[in-house]
Amino acid sequence: MSIIKVAEIDFRYKDVWALRDVSFDVRRGEFLGIIGPNGSGKTTLIRVIDGILAPERGDISVKGNNIRGMRRRDLARLVAVVPQDSAMIFPFMALEIVMMGRSPHLGMLRFEGNRDFEIAREAMEMTDTISLADRSIDKLSGGERQRVLIARALAQEPEVVLLDESTAFLDIKHQAAFFGLMKALNREKGLTVLAATHDINLAAAYCDRIMLLKNGRIHSLGAPGEVITEANIREVYETDVLVDANPLNGLPRITLMASKGKGVCSL
């Protein structure tokens, strides 16, 4: 059963088309990876699905409801976004940032209760940020700040999480921990995840399906082994790579071919 339907989406920034005729469904409980080179439309697609950007043509529905007719609060109860980074104007404490994720569940005159604080602290424990609770967000490193934003999204208790290069500022340890956490939530709680990422190997390791974008259009969509091929990567990224099977899980693994026979390096 589909939880998200994207139908014939076109979007442009002035005269530059960012998305053209994009259509696909996301099944409930699916982990979908979105890959593609810079400028291929990954971030724009995430923002269109979240309702931040309005498409020039086409529709997006979540749980059968067209998001054009949904209140922002109602959509936020279903969909949470973890951006690549988020500028904070005021020096809020990390716990205050995470508590912002509870806003869609609060009424106009309702203040946070014990249950809201409990949910926020659970989200911080899952993201290894509980020790940062009383620290100002502007005093945290880029990676620490990003983990706080992930905790904020989890505190929303959404059914869908949209990840926009959410691990860009994380080290290898926290990248693996984050994708492992999202996969666990995906499997155990049925959380639907859409992850836009530049890390093709991470996408291959954790995603059920992968969408490859090229110039705002869907180049290919399918299982990791169907999309991550030497031919597809060469055509979309204009780069020669080696694609083989990861010996640990059999999933596709991509290695960048260095020029002039100087060796290879894993992406």
Side-chain angles (χ1 to χ4, degrees):
M1 178 179 177
S2 297
I3 190 169
I4 294 176
K5 288 182 177 290
V6 177
E8 300 178 335
I9 291 297
D10 288 343
F11 182 87
R12 63 179 170 178
Y13 298 99
K14 295 184 178 180
D15 296 329
V16 178
W17 288 100
L19 297 172
R20 296 302 307 266
D21 196 26
V22 173
S23 298
F24 63 96
D25 290 1
V26 182
R27 298 184 293 270
R28 184 185 300 274
E30 183 175 19
F31 200 133
L32 176 67
I34 305 171
I35 63 174
N38 291 335
S40 60
K42 300 187 298 298
T43 292
T44 300
L45 180 58
I46 291 293
R47 292 176 178 174
V48 167
I49 294 173
D50 186 44
I52 298 298
L53 299 177
E56 187 161 316
R57 182 179 74 98
D59 294 292
I60 301 100
S61 61
V62 179
K63 296 187 72 174
N65 299 306
N66 193 313
I67 67 172
R68 291 181 187 270
M70 296 180 69
R71 295 187 307 169
R72 187 67 200 170
R73 178 184 297 270
D74 294 334
L75 182 59
R77 288 173 180 169
L78 297 174
V79 180
V81 180
V82 182
Q84 183 175 133
D85 195 9
S86 181
M88 297 294 171
I89 299 175
F90 299 104
F92 293 105
M93 297 297 107
L95 177 57
E96 292 176 316
I97 297 294
V98 177
M99 284 298 298
M100 293 176 186
R102 299 303 301 155
S103 297
H105 301 279
L106 303 178
M108 291 294 294
L109 301 177
R110 182 188 158 194
F111 295 97
E112 300 91 342
N114 291 335
R115 178 57 180 159
D116 297 304
F117 279 99
E118 180 182 340
I119 291 169
R121 289 189 177 277
E122 287 176 355
M124 296 187 82
E125 288 174 355
M126 285 190 290
T127 54
D128 192 24
T129 56
I130 193 67
S131 64
L132 308 176
D134 297 324
R135 291 179 58 186
S136 175
I137 193 72
D138 62 348
K139 302 299 182 183
L140 302 182
S141 69
E144 290 171 334
R145 185 165 58 248
Q146 193 66 2
R147 281 160 33 220
V148 170
L149 295 178
I150 294 166
R152 181 181 66 181
L154 295 179
Q156 282 182 231
E157 295 187 301
E159 295 185 37
V160 178
V161 172
L162 307 177
L163 309 175
D164 182 17
E165 290 291 339
S166 303
T167 60
F169 296 101
L170 302 184
D171 57 32
I172 294 175
K173 170 187 174 181
H174 286 105
Q175 282 184 355
F178 172 66
F179 268 87
L181 170 63
M182 299 309 299
K183 191 64 177 181
L185 293 171
N186 168 252
R187 288 177 173 173
E188 297 168 12
K189 296 189 176 183
L191 183 69
T192 303
V193 181
L194 280 72
T197 179
H198 278 298
D199 195 319
I200 300 174
N201 284 331
L202 272 178
Y206 289 95
C207 297
D208 302 314
R209 288 192 301 160
I210 291 178
M211 176 190 302
L212 176 58
L213 294 177
K214 178 183 180 183
N215 297 329
R217 297 180 182 272
I218 298 177
H219 176 277
S220 47
L221 174 62
E226 298 170 341
V227 175
I228 302 174
T229 66
E230 293 177 1
N232 283 345
I233 300 301
R234 185 182 306 113
E235 180 178 348
V236 174
Y237 289 86
E238 299 179 353
T239 302
D240 289 326
V241 297
L242 170 68
V243 177
D244 62 0
N246 188 315
L248 297 179
N249 53 30
L251 293 169
R253 177 181 61 180
I254 186 170
T255 302
L256 179 65
M257 303 295 293
S259 60
K260 299 182 180 179
K262 293 182 180 180
V264 299
C265 58
S266 295
L267 289 176

